[in-house]
Amino acid sequence: MMFNQAQGLPRARIMNLIKAHRIPTPVLEERCLSSICEDYADGKCENGNCILPHEICRITHTSSLPSLGTPVNVLQMKPRKKALPFETDGPGELSSAGPRHDNDFVNIQSVRILPTTDEILSSRGPFMPKDIFTGLDHLQAGIARHIDLCFRQLRYDNTNVLVDVTHHAIQQLAVEKVNEKYEDYKPQCETPSGAKYLRFRKVAFEEFLFHYADGLVVRLSYECPKDLQGRAIHKAKVLEENRLVALVGMNDIGEVITVFFQIHLRESTEGKFITSKTHERGKYLIGEQCASANLTQACIQLTFAEKEDTDAVRTVLYYMRGLLKASFVLIDFGSVLLGGFGPHLKQLQNLADWPTVAFESQVVPTNTPTEHVLHPPSYAAKDGFEYDLSVIRSEHVDSSHAGAMKIRPMSNSGVDPHADNVLEMITSCTTLDKGQALSLYESLSRGLAFTQGPPGTGKTFLGVSLIQVILASLKKEHRKPILVICQTNHALDSFLKDMWEKGITNIARVGANTKEEWLRPYDYKELCKKVEKSPYDKHQQWDATQKANSLEADGMSWAESITKEKLGWCVIRDHLRVHHNAEYHQLSQRVGNDNFDFRRGKNFHGFVYEFWSNGGDIENMEELLEAADTLLGSCELKQETNSDKAADFKRKLMAIIKQTATKAKADPIWSLSVSQRHALISQWIKEMDSWKLYDSLAEVHRRHQVGYNRKIASYEGHSVTTLSTVEVIGMTTSGLARYQKMIAAIDPHVAVMEEAGEVLEAHTLMVLGLPSIDHHISIGDPRQLRPHTKEMPLSSEHSEYGYDKSLFERLENQVPSSQLTVQRRMHPDIADLSRVTLYPSLEDHESTGLRAPVANIADRMYFLDHCHPEERPDPSSPMAKSYHNNWEVEMICRFVDYLIRVGGYTMGQMAIITPYNGQLAALTVSLQKSCDVWLSQHDREALRDKGLLPTETLKKFGKTTVNLSSLLRVATVDNFQGEEADIVIFSAVRSNDDGKLGFLEIANRVNVACSRARNGFYIFGNAQLLSRFPMWEKIINVFREKRKIGKAIRACCSAHPDTIFEVKEAIQFSQVPPCRYLCLASAQSLALADQMVKLPDTLDRLYVQSGRKLNDFTKEIESLEGALFHTFSNFCKELENDSGPLSCKRDHEKVRERGTHLEGIQSQIAQFRDEVVIPVQDALASIANTKVFPMVVLPFKSRFDSLYLRCRLIALDEGLRAVLYMQQQQDKREEPVEHITVIITALKLNIATESINNIVNITSKITECEVSNLKRLEVEFRLLQIQFYMIAKSFDITEEFVELNVVASLKRIADLCKMFPNTAAIFLKLGSDLRKHYQGDSAPDRYREWNTNQVKELSKIWGEHEVGHMKSCKYQHPYSSKVFGDCPECGKEINISLPLPKSHINYDNFLSTDAKAIAVAMNAMQRKNYGSPKHRR
């Protein structure tokens, strides 16, 4: 039967004949578009009398994917090299050995973006043209060859990892035996070449869904590893949404199936068994559902990566429904996103269709060197045009001189006689230095302009100035938006911020990945909402939306029919029309030319069938009306009975029903019983061709994608109108590739590319491919980092393919370029390193000579030379791919500690950089013990993907909003491009006898590393080894000439540098003696004074975040505690009822589940306390003895300790209640249940042990509170201690292990409540309950009642503090004057020897007052002290 699904399959394979699966030819009839109703194919047909066919068929020439060749490869079981040798003898049939695989073509437009199965199996390397034209290529020198080159290199760089991983997965699938018994497994895999991936086994097809944008969605289940089951998968960095994954399968005849998907929705094991019928997919199972479900299977929803690939859709349909049979695994490639490279490759294919780019004669490589003359952009070459520079004039230049600040473009023929005068005017009237002035002049005068800016020379400042001048010089009526293009979102946001601050606010940002809140209003979609649409745009959008919605409705109906095995009208309609015409006419209706919602119109055609198939009676009109209303997805008949719309709706519906009823009287089909109708439908299903059915669904998916793309295009018209009104459009290179068509319609003339030296040439072609561009300005430095490449065989260091060369670098010596010459970052001594290597003309701005010396270090730059060997990577360890040097790690960590402790530096003033991820991981682990470390997102992802640090550890190293002295930046060199710091420490790592330098031989990286520091620069490395590389030799010679190299760091007092202490080993940093003079004016004291100025703001922000967290955590604890209390009776019933022979494990699990109910909130409290609160308080403690800072007593650590202990108290009390109940049940039984006795014994031991430990630990916390005058916290800890004591006492073991004078502690609580009525007294009721219980006057149940109204109110207002309202009490406790009248820790003290005012509580009698009286008194007191509006305003 067509709906059977393949399950466990035996595997009988001939290993050497495993090859790519070839999908059968579609059986669905193919027709030309002219032979069917085109309106129907587009999604609607308004003509009620249309005679053209309305049916599903394949339409000729509609596939947007090229046909594949013939598979020629079989699986090789030997380990595959990641990088197969490139071949150069031509692509496709031009190769002497014939095509390499079925996706090997001469024309790149025929190549599919993602690799095919046959391509994955191929043992031959890909065809790869070289960067330099050799004359032997299949294309002649020119733009077509250059596009071909960029496409093939970009595709290989991004898809080779997919090939490598999938090939390895296929090999594993071929040799493994399917294990039907559940066993836990680890999904982590690694290819022989080192590529890591995740492989999930036992994949099963669950259902098809249909998405409004992505079309067909496949829902799969897979065997979930134990450590990812339940909610754990949502915390793991696996199977994240939008990632690229592959479904890899193998059938019994040795054919391999590979289908690429993108993740649409990740579900947990708890969500698998919630079906689409409940409309709750993805939510958690509860109660009995969890107990009965198989929680080893998780689900995931996938959309097709290449949505136009109907062969992939048909393949999945055939295997899902059992027409073909195979077993599958699911492959997660990691952080691979199709959006990162797919749009670029598609645009290159489009560009190849009409190969032309801006500045083609200069950009396209040729086989003969050509000297290029660059002309001004066309708009600037017009007669009378002048650039207006007044917009960038200095503040000291009077506005009356603005008219003289206009210039013509520079002459490009010979020497410009006016150049000197122009440059003099620019430097004197603006803030540009002479290098920036010349670059500005030249960039405005060249259509294709390049400006090289060495480190710290103000490249971004120049870019903003150019945009200001161009905008001011073009008339608004003729001005087109300027494109600003950056490689990364961070760089783009930073550039737009600089423009915005200069007054360029009419901007738009295209792309949705900004993290800057201020940019949200400038998102182009937000701007479009504010612009009125034209009537034409409205009509186009309405028409396209109606068509797309109609096609979506078809798709949803088809997907539901296939999944539920109950065919809807749209599925069975064509079969009835051909084979059962009478029934077709009886069950079908036409809407006619009704001109209303087309989605409803289509459903109107089939609602009679739906009503009939469900057993409806044609004579029951009311029921039929409700069925139609339900089918059409509205409630108009019930909610809008008096409206004209509902009346019209009902009128049309009644006409159809009347027509159907008339026909039904003469047709026996309506007299059939429900079972007979179902039998008839089953017969129709058997008659249908299953292959044709699934081919039809693939065609429905394709048509929907066409309709949805048409809908998106209809909205672009309005976007073009909106964007045409702004001055600047900001985009990343990926955004430009994605929105290329829309941007081309705007017709921009000017493009500015920031950090152009880091942009791949293939990405630059996205800009130059815009036909309207005639002024392209590139600003960057090709001598710093090159574009990133994933595949080393393409890099310039390893081959002659030159893939990682930017257009800037390739044309550096072929076209004229400008140079920035004045740096403002580095002290001149540090800048000498750049001058002797790459920038001999680099000059220092006068301000750099004023850079402060490094405090308590004799040298502002130093090379610490050593010969301690690097650690050789263990091939079996996670760090096998990266080196590290433990001596350098320890030395640098102690050096940083010295600079902070003695030098007075904040962590944010320093940065540590290294070329190796292994060293980055080692530094991070070591430094985080004493510093707040920040890793960039790219570095965190690299460490995670390479397995160097676990995800949970890396979460601690992102930016936080609370800090005392900012954060210590630790980074790889590659991820520190564009950054700087006062002090930079470089760890070279490599130290060996083999003469191997690795990354240190790459000049670009060395350049970046040596040009980041402003005030101080320190290198830790092996000088003898590094000197083997010429660039390093020059750098080391600079250190030698300055006598700044040696075996020891020279420590001293900055104010009295005559005494030097040499530090040769890490331990010696802690042995540096203090200055023999009284150095109150030393750099350390000055730095501490600077920190003191920042202290109030830091404490203010800490108070805001801690207060909110206290409130949030308290409410969560209350909620979880209530849930435990209200479910205890059900828990008892479950234990009582579940007494069978297999109940042992279940009872253990029930008890364990309740005991760990608060684990989540406990970990959150501990994490916030350890990662935010403790570092701040420790930092304050470390500087408290300097006598510069005032003493500040922060209560936050103790307060979060109290919350944590409350969680443990709730958990232990819950365990005690369970023990008492189970013991009571055991006592009632004639023969105790053995495993219950074991549970009781274990619980008693655990509860008693933890209670005693907590009693002991709380004693020290009480002492801390007494010393710091934290009165309310002291009361809290004493109450907690007494309650832990009472729990332990329940097992009669307290006296043996711990001594606690409970009576004295209760007396102390009462005294504190008397002395501090505004704070500690809110716990009087709890103290009274504890005393009664201790004296035996009350039952033990629920004596622990923390959540009084007063406690809740106080918790709430903790979170209402706002920055700017910080005060401190006489005990130096900071508190919020916005919400508290006095300090909430101590408040105003009452002298208990004096008689209390009548309005106060009689505390002597308080503990003997009944609970009701206490509550009344407490409410009155709290209204007086905390409820007053003046304390909360």
Side-chain angles (χ1 to χ4, degrees):
M1 186 175 175
M2 70 174 180
F3 291 110
N4 290 338
Q5 181 172 321
Q7 297 182 354
L9 299 173
R11 295 196 180 159
R13 302 189 180 98
I14 303 174
M15 299 299 293
N16 61 348
L17 293 181
I18 294 176
K19 56 185 180 180
H21 167 74
R22 295 195 67 180
I23 188 170
T25 303
V27 299
L28 187 64
E29 183 182 2
E30 184 175 28
R31 295 184 180 181
C32 63
L33 186 59
S34 60
S35 67
I36 64 171
C37 176
E38 186 172 349
D39 287 339
Y40 175 79
D42 285 346
K44 68 171 185 178
C45 177
E46 296 180 84
N47 183 4
N49 299 314
C50 180
I51 61 174
L52 292 172
H54 287 196
E55 60 188 63
I56 301 298
C57 62
R58 291 189 300 128
I59 302 174
T60 309
H61 305 307
T62 54
S63 177
S64 54
L65 282 180
S67 300
L68 294 173
T70 303
V72 295
N73 296 289
V74 297
L75 177 66
Q76 304 292 322
M77 295 306 297
K78 60 183 180 181
R80 178 186 182 274
K81 295 180 180 179
K82 182 179 181 181
L84 297 173
F86 294 145
E87 295 186 3
T88 58
D89 65 339
E93 63 269 16
L94 296 182
S95 172
S96 58
R100 297 161 183 82
H101 45 75
D102 62 358
N103 199 28
D104 185 21
F105 296 102
V106 174
N107 188 345
I108 61 170
Q109 293 179 301
S110 300
V111 178
R112 298 197 178 185
I113 302 298
L114 295 173
T116 64
T117 305
D118 194 48
E119 183 177 359
I120 293 167
L121 297 178
S122 176
S123 58
R124 293 174 58 188
F127 165 72
M128 192 63 60
K130 294 184 177 180
D131 182 31
I132 301 173
F133 180 70
T134 62
L136 301 177
D137 300 76
H138 67 291
L139 295 171
Q140 293 299 313
I143 184 59
R145 178 190 179 276
H146 194 54
I147 294 171
D148 180 274
L149 166 77
C150 290
F151 175 86
R152 294 184 189 277
Q153 290 186 346
L154 182 65
R155 182 177 184 272
Y156 178 82
D157 189 49
N158 285 281
T159 63
N160 188 54
V161 67
L162 307 180
V163 173
D164 182 39
V165 165
T166 310
H167 186 274
H168 184 260
I170 293 171
Q171 288 179 324
Q172 299 302 306
L173 192 62
V175 298
E176 287 181 354
K177 182 179 180 181
V178 177
N179 186 359
E180 295 297 339
K181 181 180 178 181
Y182 173 74
E183 292 181 359
D184 192 29
Y185 70 102
K186 297 296 183 183
Q188 293 82 5
C189 300
E190 185 173 353
T191 70
S193 61
K196 300 179 185 297
Y197 67 99
L198 299 173
R199 178 171 163 272
F200 299 93
R201 65 189 192 184
K202 290 190 179 178
V203 171
F205 296 99
E206 295 291 333
E207 62 179 327
F208 278 119
L209 308 169
F210 208 87
H211 188 255
Y212 77 95
D214 297 319
L216 208 56
V217 177
V218 183
R219 187 167 183 252
L220 306 175
S221 63
Y222 59 91
E223 188 174 79
C224 187
K226 191 171 183 179
D227 57 357
L228 294 178
Q229 291 175 10
R231 304 187 186 189
I233 195 168
H234 296 300
K235 300 177 182 178
K237 294 287 184 179
V238 301
L239 297 175
E240 293 178 307
E241 290 182 15
N242 296 320
R243 275 189 183 182
L244 192 66
V245 295
L247 187 65
V248 179
M250 189 173 295
N251 60 28
D252 287 345
I253 61 175
E255 289 184 332
V256 178
I257 307 99
T258 305
V259 182
F260 289 96
F261 292 93
Q262 289 175 285
I263 298 177
H264 179 69
L265 179 65
R266 175 181 62 183
E267 302 177 26
S268 70
T269 51
E270 295 173 339
K272 175 187 183 296
F273 295 91
I274 300 176
T275 66
S276 58
K277 294 179 182 178
T278 66
H279 301 289
E280 293 181 327
R281 180 178 291 104
K283 294 186 179 179
Y284 299 117
L285 295 173
I286 57 174
E288 298 179 357
Q289 290 175 305
C290 285
S292 61
N294 174 15
L295 296 184
T296 65
Q297 293 288 113
C299 272
I300 190 167
Q301 296 179 24
L302 307 173
T303 61
F304 290 91
E306 295 182 301
K307 296 175 176 54
E308 64 273 33
D309 186 2
T310 53
D311 285 349
V313 178
R314 292 195 300 121
T315 298
V316 172
L317 283 165
Y318 294 165
Y319 281 99
M320 176 178 182
R321 305 315 308 174
L323 299 183
L324 301 174
K325 297 183 179 181
S327 54
F328 291 91
V329 294
L330 183 66
I331 304 301
D332 181 357
F333 298 101
S335 304
V336 179
L337 301 176
L338 182 60
F341 62 92
H344 296 92
L345 292 170
K346 289 184 178 179
Q347 289 305 326
L348 288 172
Q349 288 178 321
N350 294 337
L351 199 56
D353 191 38
W354 190 259
T356 180
V357 296
F359 313 106
E360 183 174 326
S361 61
Q362 292 91 2
V363 169
V364 175
T366 61
N367 52 352
T368 56
T370 304
E371 184 176 348
H372 299 286
V373 177
L374 298 177
H375 299 283
S378 59
Y379 68 84
K382 296 178 180 178
D383 292 339
F385 178 85
E386 290 180 315
Y387 284 110
D388 182 1
L389 272 60
S390 63
V391 70
I392 60 170
R393 70 180 186 275
S394 302
E395 292 181 0
H396 70 274
V397 178
D398 191 86
S399 59
S400 61
H401 294 86
M405 297 184 66
K406 293 186 177 181
I407 61 172
R408 288 281 299 155
M410 180 185 297
S411 172
N412 291 301
S413 56
V415 179
D416 189 332
H418 305 291
D420 291 341
N421 294 333
V422 170
L423 293 175
E424 175 63 27
M425 182 270 293
I426 296 175
T427 53
S428 62
C429 296
T430 71
T431 58
L432 300 175
D433 60 49
K434 60 182 181 180
Q436 292 171 331
L438 179 58
S439 297
L440 178 89
Y441 192 19
E442 291 177 338
S443 295
L444 294 173
S445 304
R446 297 167 180 166
L448 182 63
F450 294 94
T451 294
Q452 181 192 4
T457 52
K459 295 185 286 292
T460 300
F461 182 78
L462 172 66
V464 174
S465 298
L466 282 164
I467 293 174
Q468 286 180 283
V469 171
I470 294 172
L471 289 174
S473 305
L474 293 172
K475 295 180 179 179
K476 288 186 177 181
E477 59 269 23
H478 302 302
R479 189 168 62 197
K480 298 287 186 178
I482 296 175
L483 289 185
V484 171
I485 310 297
C486 296
Q487 178 71 15
T488 65
N489 284 291
H490 174 71
L492 176 62
D493 293 346
S494 178
F495 194 92
L496 293 176
K497 181 69 171 179
D498 289 337
M499 283 196 309
W500 189 82
E501 290 176 347
K502 288 292 185 179
I504 305 174
T505 57
N506 187 13
I507 62 176
R509 193 189 192 283
V510 178
N513 291 324
T514 181
K515 295 181 180 179
E516 300 291 336
E517 284 298 324
W518 74 270
L519 270 171
R520 303 291 182 191
Y522 298 100
D523 180 86
Y524 88 101
K525 292 181 180 178
E526 292 298 319
L527 294 176
C528 287
K529 295 176 183 177
K530 301 175 183 178
V531 177
E532 180 68 22
K533 297 177 183 177
S534 68
Y536 175 79
D537 285 340
K538 288 181 180 179
H539 173 74
Q540 290 294 105
Q541 292 175 17
W542 180 86
D543 184 65
T545 300
Q546 292 297 314
K547 292 178 179 179
N549 289 346
S550 180
L551 292 166
E552 177 193 349
D554 272 357
M556 293 175 66
S557 180
W558 272 86
E560 185 178 18
S561 295
I562 296 298
T563 298
K564 295 183 178 180
E565 304 186 12
K566 177 186 175 183
L567 299 190
W569 177 249
C570 66
V571 180
I572 206 169
R573 175 188 56 208
D574 289 346
H575 178 76
L576 294 182
R577 182 181 56 81
V578 175
H579 301 284
H580 303 277
N581 196 259
E583 288 82 353
Y584 170 79
H585 286 291
Q586 186 60 229
L587 297 176
S588 68
Q589 299 298 332
R590 301 291 295 179
V591 182
N593 192 12
D594 288 319
N595 194 27
F596 63 97
D597 189 309
F598 299 111
R599 177 164 45 181
R600 290 181 179 173
K602 279 196 172 183
N603 284 336
F604 254 124
H605 298 171
F607 91 89
V608 174
Y609 164 78
E610 299 290 346
F611 185 69
W612 171 84
S613 63
N614 287 312
D617 187 347
I618 192 64
E619 295 183 0
N620 189 338
M621 294 296 182
E622 182 178 352
E623 191 175 319
L624 184 55
L625 284 171
E626 291 185 4
D629 197 41
T630 300
L631 177 68
L632 299 175
S634 70
C635 296
E636 293 181 41
L637 299 182
K638 295 179 180 179
Q639 297 181 359
E640 301 185 73
T641 52
N642 296 325
S643 69
D644 294 338
K645 182 179 178 182
D648 184 56
F649 181 86
K650 188 172 182 178
R651 177 185 56 79
K652 297 168 185 174
L653 187 59
M654 289 301 297
I656 295 175
I657 292 173
K658 184 177 180 180
Q659 180 185 8
T660 303
T662 301
K663 294 181 179 179
K665 294 178 181 178
D667 197 306
I669 194 172
W670 285 95
S671 62
L672 296 177
S673 64
V674 175
S675 60
Q676 289 174 324
R677 295 180 191 188
H678 288 174
L680 183 58
I681 294 173
S682 298
Q683 180 61 39
W684 291 342
I685 291 175
K686 293 178 181 179
E687 296 171 359
M688 297 176 69
D689 186 338
S690 299
W691 298 89
K692 182 178 179 180
L693 188 70
Y694 303 135
D695 288 353
S696 299
L697 178 51
E699 174 63 18
V700 169
H701 167 81
R702 187 201 66 78
R703 292 188 185 186
H704 169 263
Q705 285 299 293
V706 173
Y708 179 75
N709 291 335
R710 190 185 296 115
K711 171 185 172 182
I712 296 300
S714 72
Y715 280 83
E716 286 185 354
H718 180 58
S719 299
V720 169
T721 302
T722 302
L723 290 173
S724 297
T725 64
V726 303
E727 294 178 333
V728 175
I729 299 173
M731 314 179 74
T732 61
T733 55
S734 295
L736 181 57
R738 189 173 294 111
Y739 297 102
Q740 182 92 0
K741 186 176 179 181
M742 181 178 73
I743 298 300
I746 297 170
D747 203 31
H749 295 165
V750 182
V752 178
M753 181 171 285
E754 169 80 342
E755 292 293 356
E758 292 186 74
V759 180
L760 287 165
E761 186 161 356
H763 290 192
T764 306
L765 286 180
M766 300 298 102
V767 185
L768 298 178
L770 295 170
S772 59
I773 292 293
D774 74 337
H775 195 184
H776 185 273
I777 301 172
S778 295
I779 303 173
D781 187 5
R783 297 181 185 179
Q784 294 188 54
L785 292 182
R786 282 176 166 151
H788 177 67
T789 179
K790 305 177 185 69
E791 301 296 333
M792 288 300 105
L794 290 175
S795 67
S796 301
E797 287 82 15
H798 295 83
S799 69
E800 53 187 338
Y801 289 93
Y803 166 73
D804 59 349
K805 283 184 180 179
S806 63
L807 178 68
F808 198 157
E809 182 178 359
R810 184 170 63 79
L811 298 183
E812 187 177 13
N813 298 319
Q814 299 180 31
V815 299
S817 63
S818 306
Q819 295 279 334
L820 301 180
T821 56
V822 181
Q823 69 89 17
R824 290 172 166 79
R825 175 186 297 162
M826 301 167 279
H827 186 275
D829 287 349
I830 302 173
D832 285 340
L833 300 176
S834 298
R835 268 187 286 272
V836 302
T837 52
L838 297 173
Y839 311 105
S841 301
L842 187 64
E843 301 176 17
D844 302 314
H845 191 269
E846 58 185 14
S847 62
T848 60
L850 303 177
R851 293 286 184 195
V854 178
N856 296 91
I857 297 292
D859 310 291
R860 73 163 64 249
M861 57 182 294
Y862 197 80
F863 193 116
L864 183 64
D865 182 22
H866 72 87
C867 57
H868 295 274
E870 67 201 33
E871 271 59 50
R872 299 293 179 126
D874 179 359
S876 62
S877 76
M879 304 182 77
K881 306 302 178 185
S882 196
Y883 293 86
H884 66 288
N885 190 307
N886 287 335
W887 187 86
E888 288 186 13
V889 169
E890 185 177 3
M891 198 72 179
I892 289 172
C893 291
R894 293 297 185 97
F895 185 35
V896 168
D897 177 70
Y898 173 81
L899 290 173
I900 294 173
R901 177 172 46 85
V902 180
Y905 288 99
T906 65
M907 287 178 278
Q909 291 177 278
M910 295 180 287
I912 304 170
I913 57 177
T914 179
Y916 288 96
N917 281 312
Q919 187 76 342
L920 178 68
L923 284 166
T924 300
V925 171
S926 184
L927 284 165
Q928 60 94 22
K929 298 174 184 176
S930 57
C931 299
D932 294 333
V933 175
W934 171 42
L935 298 176
S936 71
Q937 180 180 348
H938 291 297
D939 279 332
R940 293 199 305 272
E941 290 176 353
L943 294 181
R944 182 196 68 202
D945 294 343
K946 295 178 184 298
L948 296 173
L949 284 179
T951 301
E952 290 303 315
T953 301
L954 288 168
K955 285 181 180 179
K956 298 189 293 184
F957 304 129
K959 270 193 173 178
T960 178
T961 56
V962 173
N963 56 78
L964 180 65
S965 319
S966 190
L967 299 165
L968 177 64
R969 178 73 189 272
V970 185
T972 55
V973 175
D974 286 11
N975 288 320
F976 206 64
Q977 166 98 336
E979 306 286 344
E980 57 186 76
D982 285 347
I983 298 174
V984 173
I985 303 169
F986 176 67
S987 175
V989 182
R990 303 306 298 270
S991 180
N992 56 67
D993 297 328
D994 304 329
K996 295 181 179 180
L997 290 177
F999 289 145
L1000 297 175
E1001 289 184 312
I1002 301 174
N1004 303 66
R1005 282 196 174 100
V1006 178
N1007 180 27
V1008 171
C1010 294
S1011 59
R1012 304 297 102 192
R1014 290 189 288 261
N1015 299 352
F1017 180 49
Y1018 301 92
I1019 298 177
F1020 290 70
N1022 186 325
Q1024 182 180 0
L1025 175 64
L1026 294 176
S1027 295
R1028 298 186 182 189
F1029 180 53
M1031 185 171 179
W1032 274 113
E1033 184 179 16
K1034 294 178 181 179
I1035 291 170
I1036 293 171
N1037 284 339
V1038 172
F1039 281 97
R1040 286 201 174 104
E1041 290 169 3
K1042 296 178 182 290
R1043 307 187 72 174
K1044 304 296 184 184
I1045 185 170
K1047 302 291 185 180
I1049 294 286
R1050 305 197 308 156
C1052 69
C1053 172
S1054 297
H1056 305 91
D1058 53 316
T1059 302
I1060 300 294
F1061 184 85
E1062 292 191 343
V1063 179
K1064 297 181 179 180
E1065 295 295 334
I1067 190 64
Q1068 292 179 303
F1069 278 112
S1070 61
Q1071 300 170 357
V1072 177
C1075 182
R1076 59 186 176 181
Y1077 303 100
L1078 186 61
C1079 277
L1080 294 180
S1082 67
Q1084 178 185 7
S1085 298
L1086 293 174
L1088 290 174
D1090 179 65
Q1091 291 185 22
M1092 185 174 67
V1093 173
K1094 301 175 182 176
L1095 177 62
D1097 182 67
T1098 301
L1099 292 177
D1100 220 348
R1101 296 182 185 280
L1102 176 66
Y1103 202 106
V1104 169
Q1105 191 169 9
S1106 296
R1108 290 172 182 170
K1109 286 291 184 181
L1110 282 170
N1111 182 32
D1112 293 342
F1113 289 153
T1114 303
K1115 289 193 293 186
E1116 180 71 8
I1117 292 171
E1118 178 188 352
S1119 174
L1120 293 171
E1121 181 183 9
L1124 281 174
F1125 177 73
H1126 293 300
T1127 58
F1128 185 74
S1129 58
N1130 291 335
F1131 164 71
C1132 295
K1133 290 178 183 178
E1134 290 176 358
L1135 283 179
E1136 185 176 352
N1137 297 333
D1138 191 9
S1139 57
L1142 301 179
S1143 63
C1144 175
K1145 185 175 181 180
R1146 290 193 294 270
D1147 289 344
H1148 274 280
E1149 186 61 28
K1150 291 170 188 172
V1151 174
R1152 187 200 66 80
E1153 182 181 350
R1154 293 185 70 81
T1156 58
H1157 189 67
L1158 278 79
E1159 275 187 356
I1161 188 64
Q1162 284 173 202
S1163 64
Q1164 291 178 45
I1165 294 170
Q1167 182 179 9
F1168 183 79
R1169 178 196 63 194
D1170 297 343
E1171 296 180 11
V1172 176
V1173 176
I1174 291 179
V1176 174
Q1177 296 198 183
D1178 287 351
L1180 276 173
S1182 68
I1183 59 178
N1185 296 325
T1186 62
K1187 298 182 180 180
V1188 177
F1189 276 90
M1191 175 63 70
V1192 179
V1193 180
L1194 295 180
F1196 299 118
K1197 177 181 179 298
S1198 297
R1199 189 142 298 291
F1200 285 104
D1201 284 341
S1202 173
L1203 279 181
Y1204 185 88
L1205 288 167
R1206 280 180 59 188
C1207 291
R1208 297 312 307 147
L1209 179 65
I1210 294 169
L1212 295 183
D1213 183 52
E1214 179 66 21
L1216 175 60
R1217 296 175 69 203
V1219 166
L1220 295 175
Y1221 172 77
M1222 289 187 288
Q1223 188 63 61
Q1224 183 183 19
Q1225 296 301 310
Q1226 289 284 78
D1227 294 342
K1228 293 179 180 179
R1229 295 186 176 103
E1230 295 181 3
E1231 184 176 344
V1233 179
E1234 183 179 354
H1235 76 265
I1236 294 293
T1237 302
V1238 172
I1239 293 175
I1240 292 173
T1241 304
L1243 276 176
K1244 282 184 176 180
L1245 179 61
N1246 290 337
I1247 294 170
T1249 301
E1250 184 175 348
S1251 296
I1252 292 170
N1253 289 337
N1254 289 337
I1255 293 168
V1256 175
N1257 293 335
I1258 290 175
T1259 300
S1260 62
K1261 299 184 186 300
I1262 292 173
T1263 302
E1264 291 175 10
C1265 292
E1266 290 175 339
V1267 172
S1268 302
N1269 289 293
L1270 298 170
K1271 305 303 181 182
R1272 188 161 69 90
L1273 270 168
E1274 181 187 343
V1275 171
E1276 287 188 41
F1277 282 125
R1278 287 185 179 278
L1279 291 170
L1280 286 165
Q1281 189 179 47
I1282 293 171
Q1283 291 180 86
F1284 282 122
Y1285 180 87
M1286 291 179 174
I1287 289 176
K1289 187 181 177 182
S1290 302
F1291 305 123
D1292 299 323
I1293 58 174
T1294 50
E1295 288 79 4
E1296 182 180 352
F1297 293 97
V1298 65
E1299 293 183 6
L1300 181 66
N1301 191 334
V1302 178
V1303 174
S1305 193
L1306 286 168
K1307 178 66 168 59
R1308 172 67 174 169
I1309 291 171
D1311 290 342
L1312 288 173
C1313 290
K1314 296 174 187 179
M1315 295 171 64
F1316 300 95
N1318 294 350
T1319 57
I1322 67 173
F1323 294 110
L1324 276 170
K1325 181 180 183 301
L1326 182 56
S1328 173
D1329 291 345
L1330 284 175
R1331 171 169 287 191
K1332 290 180 180 180
H1333 173 60
Y1334 183 73
Q1335 294 174 345
D1337 297 333
S1338 66
D1341 281 352
R1342 311 311 300 164
Y1343 62 80
R1344 172 188 41 77
E1345 186 57 66
W1346 285 85
N1347 298 316
T1348 62
N1349 291 333
Q1350 293 76 33
V1351 175
K1352 293 177 184 178
E1353 179 69 13
L1354 185 61
S1355 170
K1356 177 182 177 183
I1357 60 180
W1358 263 102
E1360 295 178 356
H1361 172 63
E1362 294 180 1
V1363 172
H1365 297 272
M1366 180 71 72
K1367 286 188 176 182
S1368 61
C1369 69
K1370 65 179 181 179
Y1371 296 120
Q1372 299 303 318
H1373 305 147
Y1375 71 93
S1376 173
S1377 63
K1378 177 178 174 61
V1379 295
F1380 295 114
D1382 294 306
C1383 173
E1385 301 301 338
C1386 54
K1388 292 182 179 179
E1389 183 177 351
I1390 300 296
N1391 189 341
I1392 60 174
S1393 64
L1394 299 175
L1396 293 172
K1398 294 182 179 180
S1399 59
H1400 282 278
I1401 302 167
N1402 186 339
Y1403 290 98
D1404 291 331
N1405 299 325
F1406 193 95
L1407 294 180
S1408 61
T1409 306
D1410 64 16
K1412 183 175 181 180
I1414 292 174
V1416 173
M1418 286 299 299
N1419 284 329
M1421 185 185 74
Q1422 289 307 314
R1423 283 197 299 273
K1424 178 178 179 182
N1425 295 315
Y1426 291 111
S1428 175
K1430 70 177 182 179
H1431 298 311
R1432 304 186 62 192
R1433 187 171 295 121

